[in-house]
Amino acid sequence: AILQAIDQYDRMNINLKLSKGRRTKVMAGIKGCGTAPLGYKWSHDEYKPILVIEPNQHLTVNETFHWYLKYKSTAVVAKMLNDKGRKTARGNSFSSMSVQKILRNPFYIGVVQWGNLKTVGKHKPTINKVTFGKVQKMLDRNRKIKNANPS
């Protein structure tokens, strides 16, 4: 029982240290952890990990935003991306949900977040705030329309 208590204490202590490190990174404008969003890749600036733009995927992100503004449908955008042979960050085909995740991600306008903490990131934004705002309004409007007509 004593060894179990010590193990549990160690796990909690490790989680707190990891959480503190992620919070510190986010407050410094660096993505706290995880895989790089589509359009970016991890690189190292001397000893620090940083996110830099991945040119081929960057085009996919821009097309996703602009096509959504034009066609107003995540399903249509997913089909167009798949027809062009584009893949998600994990190498899968696009779905309506994966397109929506890209469109909702504030990382693309330069915001880094972890939990409820948000700061301006040190990475280069790929989408301007006006385009991002228009897409968010359209997504919200389409969600309200879909919820009003559940057919």
Side-chain angles (χ1 to χ4, degrees):
I2 292 174
L3 290 176
Q4 286 178 338
I6 291 172
D7 284 344
Q8 185 176 1
Y9 174 78
D10 282 342
R11 281 193 301 274
M12 287 180 10
N13 197 21
I14 289 168
N15 285 337
L16 287 173
K17 286 179 181 178
L18 289 172
S19 178
K20 182 180 177 186
R22 290 178 182 132
R23 192 176 313 113
T24 302
K25 278 184 172 182
V26 169
M27 292 188 62
I30 302 168
K31 185 172 179 346
C33 61
T35 59
L38 185 71
Y40 290 90
K41 65 180 177 179
W42 284 105
S43 184
H44 283 82
D45 180 24
E46 292 182 31
Y47 300 106
K48 298 177 188 175
I50 59 169
L51 285 167
V52 295
I53 291 177
E54 204 319 302
N56 294 334
Q57 293 178 352
H58 170 72
L59 177 63
T60 301
V61 172
N62 281 328
E63 286 176 339
T64 302
F65 276 87
H66 294 296
W67 285 344
Y68 183 74
L69 285 174
K70 185 174 181 180
Y71 299 108
K72 301 172 179 63
S73 168
T74 55
V76 170
V77 173
K79 183 179 180 338
M80 292 176 71
L81 290 168
N82 290 329
D83 288 347
K84 282 194 148 202
R86 304 290 170 80
K87 298 292 182 187
T88 64
R90 294 186 178 183
N92 299 323
S93 297
F94 282 93
S95 66
S96 185
M97 184 56 74
S98 60
V99 169
Q100 187 174 2
K101 279 186 162 187
I102 291 170
L103 296 174
R104 290 279 188 196
N105 192 346
F107 191 84
Y108 294 114
I109 58 169
V111 175
V112 177
Q113 65 184 33
W114 184 74
N116 59 0
L117 183 62
K118 290 183 180 182
T119 57
V120 176
K122 291 187 176 178
H123 63 282
K124 182 178 178 187
T126 57
I127 301 296
N128 67 47
K129 291 180 182 182
V130 174
T131 301
F132 189 81
K134 287 179 183 178
V135 166
Q136 300 316 300
K137 286 181 183 179
M138 192 177 293
L139 284 167
D140 291 341
R141 189 175 3 176
N142 287 348
R143 184 180 60 198
K144 288 177 187 175
I145 291 169
K146 186 176 182 181
N147 289 341
N149 300 325
S151 49

